[in-house]
Amino acid sequence: MTGKAFTSSTRDIPAVSAVPRHVAIIMDGNGRWARKRFMPRVAGHTRGVEAVRTIIRACMERGVDYLTLFAFSSENWRRPADEVSFLMQLFLRSLKKEVARLHQNGIRFRVIGDLSRFDPQLVATIREAEALTAANTRFHLSVAANYGGRWDILNAMSRLMAAHPERRDGFTEDELAAELSMSFAPEPDLFIRTGGEKRISNFLLWQLAYTELYFTDTLWPDFDADALDEAIGSYQGRERRFGRTSEQLVEGKGADDAERHA
Ligand code: IPE
Ligand code: IPE
Ligand code: MG
């Protein structure tokens, strides 16, 4: 088990703040951004790294605490080998170039996902960056690489079963959540997917249960601070009911009522 437990949106009603505490983004549309400009798809990935830099800064300035970026899914191995290897090289290069700056800015860096298929040099660079920034608390940047939501849940369940082979009555939500790779973070408040597709693509399946979803046609390399503000603006117009009625929210006692009658 890692980290302290955060409120589970299905078991308790989380505190809601105007600025999302945790933003999770599927950075999609790099290939199309490049093709529109008659450039190779990978040129879009290179530009995508600049957008990452911009969005980290913008999130920090706006008071977001956790930013989780989907960089490479467990299904992205199905892409042409040269694109996969370009992405790996780009990840390695970008991390080496940026890690000192991340650290200077008080950012704690983590990678979530199954790194067993990654090049040992990349894995070593990731682990070094995680170790270097391990004591930082100002901002939490997590990159999902070879990540899949189903992999994460299965992994957590398998670990629990191995640790408690005698258990016959199953496990609790809290026990499972504590084994997930994002157990160190509150559940995302705001999910953003750029690039126009309206799907989750096996991202944080467990944690997105009550996350506000925002989809935009803007391609990831074009996603800037103004685009982020639009997403946050949309988020601020949502009513996060977590199963309650609007009236209960207005009265501000939905949670108490539910608990009293439970
Ligand atoms: C997202 O952009 C980046 C990765 C999946 C690594 P895409 O490469 O999926 O771009 P499109 O969707 O083809 O435009
Ligand atoms: C999802 O993007 C994963 C990342 C952004 C890393 P894809 O572009 O691969 O998603 P699908 O497969 O089209 O849904
Ligand atoms: Mg895509």
Side-chain angles (χ1 to χ4, degrees):
M1 277 211 241
T2 48
K4 61 175 184 288
F6 287 100
T7 306
S8 156
S9 58
T10 47
R11 292 182 20 80
D12 294 295
I13 294 164
V16 170
S17 51
V19 175
R21 189 170 176 207
H22 182 177
V23 176
I25 307 183
I26 297 188
M27 311 182 288
D28 197 15
N30 294 349
R32 279 164 287 163
W33 182 91
R35 302 235 342 231
K36 271 193 1 195
R37 289 162 179 77
F38 307 101
M39 302 197 294
R41 288 178 52 81
V42 295
H45 298 319
T46 304
R47 276 302 289 263
V49 176
E50 284 175 42
V52 169
R53 221 176 279 128
T54 304
I55 294 308
I56 293 171
R57 193 178 315 122
C59 281
M60 291 180 80
E61 286 166 2
R62 281 152 187 75
V64 171
D65 293 327
Y66 296 82
L67 174 65
T68 303
L69 300 172
F70 205 4
F72 192 87
S73 74
S74 43
E75 290 68 45
N76 285 143
W77 295 106
R78 298 169 181 161
R79 294 191 177 203
D82 56 350
E83 181 169 339
V84 170
S85 102
F86 183 93
L87 282 166
M88 295 297 156
Q89 286 305 315
L90 181 64
F91 191 10
L92 181 62
R93 251 188 296 135
S94 308
L95 190 53
K96 282 188 166 164
K97 190 167 156 221
E98 302 292 338
V99 63
R101 201 164 2 191
L102 293 176
H103 186 45
Q104 277 160 19
N105 284 295
I107 298 171
R108 178 153 188 189
F109 173 81
R110 292 178 178 92
V111 171
I112 59 163
D114 179 5
L115 297 189
S116 62
R117 256 181 97 174
F118 283 11
D119 179 82
Q121 201 197 341
L122 177 55
V123 177
T125 306
I126 289 169
R127 296 305 178 214
E128 278 164 29
E130 287 178 333
L132 176 70
T133 64
N136 295 341
T137 55
R138 187 172 161 216
F139 188 76
H140 297 262
L141 171 67
S142 307
V143 172
N146 193 19
Y147 179 85
R150 290 184 177 180
W151 163 83
D152 201 2
I153 294 168
L154 278 175
N155 224 13
M157 200 63 220
S158 306
R159 263 205 301 271
L160 279 178
M161 290 172 72
H164 306 280
E166 76 297 344
R167 191 76 80 84
R168 288 287 169 270
D169 54 351
F171 297 94
T172 66
E173 271 196 24
D174 289 342
E175 285 175 311
L176 188 112
E179 294 297 332
L180 293 169
S181 45
M182 293 287 308
S183 62
F184 58 85
E187 294 173 22
D189 299 292
L190 173 62
F191 159 97
I192 298 171
R193 181 170 188 146
T194 63
E197 313 297 352
K198 292 173 185 66
R199 53 183 177 243
I200 305 291
S201 300
N202 200 14
F203 195 25
L204 301 164
L205 297 179
W206 177 276
Q207 296 88 340
L208 293 176
Y210 260 113
T211 301
E212 296 299 329
L213 307 179
Y214 178 84
F215 298 92
T216 173
D217 289 335
T218 303
L219 304 172
W220 176 249
D222 293 327
F223 194 82
D224 58 11
D226 288 343
L228 177 71
D229 285 334
E230 235 177 87
I232 294 177
S234 166
Y235 170 82
Q236 289 169 340
R238 312 281 180 93
E239 186 176 64
R240 303 193 73 191
R241 289 192 291 275
F242 300 102
R244 295 164 294 173
T245 66
S246 281
E247 289 77 5
Q248 287 176 297
L249 287 188
V250 173
E251 290 161 14
K253 60 189 181 83
D256 301 348
D257 277 4
E259 271 155 30
R260 215 172 300 130
H261 297 295

